[in-house]
Amino acid sequence: KGKKRYLSPFIMAGANCPIVRRSNGLLNYKDGLVYSEAMALPSLKFAVQNFAVLGVGTSLLKMGMLDFLRKRGMVPAAGAGPTLKQARRASYEYVIVATGDDGSRSETTWRGNGDPSAIATTIFLVETALGLLAKRGQEGGVLTPAAALGKDLWARLESAKWDAAAEAPTAAPHTRSHNKSPNMTRPRPGAAPQTKSLFRVKNIASGALQGAV
């Protein structure tokens, strides 16, 4: 939309990136795939602050200081999170950018309503578990959701709802693709997202995005 953004480390990249790469390997999408994630923040100040907080937090975690601080009420208790009202009002947005071997570029925006950790993640976990239950007895292995369930999981997420909320947020992501892929749904017009992340994929055909993430 023409707005300048500053990239900063994304806290979940350490978990997400290996999963995407394993999906790519299991499903044989593209040799030499390069995948990374970052947060896209509105100012250099916020980007630097996020970098500093993650750096300090990681250091405290490695030194075992978080439990020390938690017992003294200086950091949130384990399992603490947003209130129900805060979780319902939140939203998130991912921008997925893919570059092909021939220099072609594709960009897709993935939006969702509700807190991404308190609402979206719980929906994804439960629907993945139900999808695996439906496939019990089939050949397994050390798989990822994309490799194990593929389009079946996507279909489950499109119809899933978070019933605990007074106004249930939509579970499935609203996406907008610049190449107008028929497999993507139109984004719902509404409030601006509170969380934005940038996903960068290099050396992968744009058509592989749907199953690789």
Side-chain angles (χ1 to χ4, degrees):
K1 299 180 180 179
K3 295 180 180 179
K4 187 173 183 179
R5 297 285 178 174
Y6 295 83
L7 299 185
S8 189
F10 180 44
I11 191 171
M12 292 304 300
N16 295 340
C17 292
I19 294 173
V20 173
R21 293 171 189 138
R22 182 161 182 80
S23 293
N24 176 71
L26 291 169
L27 300 174
N28 298 314
Y29 276 122
K30 181 68 177 180
D31 290 335
L33 174 139
V34 177
Y35 181 85
S36 62
E37 297 180 0
M39 289 193 71
L41 298 171
S43 72
L44 179 61
K45 176 183 177 181
F46 290 154
V48 172
Q49 286 178 341
N50 177 69
F51 179 82
V53 169
L54 289 179
V56 172
T58 300
S59 298
L60 291 175
L61 185 62
K62 290 181 177 179
M63 294 187 294
M65 291 294 294
L66 288 183
D67 286 338
F68 174 82
L69 297 175
R70 186 180 293 118
K71 291 176 181 178
R72 287 155 179 77
M74 300 175 69
V75 296
T83 64
L84 180 60
K85 182 178 180 179
Q86 290 172 330
R88 276 206 314 267
R89 293 178 59 185
S91 60
Y92 58 94
E93 176 179 305
Y94 298 114
V95 178
I96 306 171
V97 181
T99 305
D101 290 333
D102 58 357
S104 60
R105 186 176 185 276
S106 179
E107 180 177 317
T108 296
T109 299
W110 172 1
R111 296 188 181 97
N113 297 321
D115 185 271
S117 58
I119 294 180
T121 297
T122 55
I123 293 174
F124 298 156
L125 287 173
V126 171
E127 292 300 334
T128 299
L130 292 174
L132 290 173
L133 184 62
K135 290 181 175 291
R136 60 183 173 180
Q138 299 184 21
E139 184 178 356
V142 183
L143 306 175
T144 65
L149 301 175
K151 293 182 179 180
D152 291 342
L153 178 57
W154 185 266
R156 299 185 72 91
L157 294 177
E158 286 184 318
S159 59
K161 297 290 184 182
W162 196 66
D163 295 329
E167 297 178 2
T170 301
H174 303 285
T175 58
R176 172 174 53 81
S177 176
H178 287 200
N179 57 8
K180 298 182 179 179
S181 168
N183 295 318
M184 299 296 186
T185 56
R186 287 181 172 271
R188 177 191 299 174
Q194 297 178 3
T195 303
K196 175 174 285 191
S197 296
L198 179 67
F199 285 41
R200 289 196 177 277
V201 188
K202 298 180 181 178
N203 299 325
I204 180 171
S206 59
L209 280 174
Q210 183 180 354
V213 237

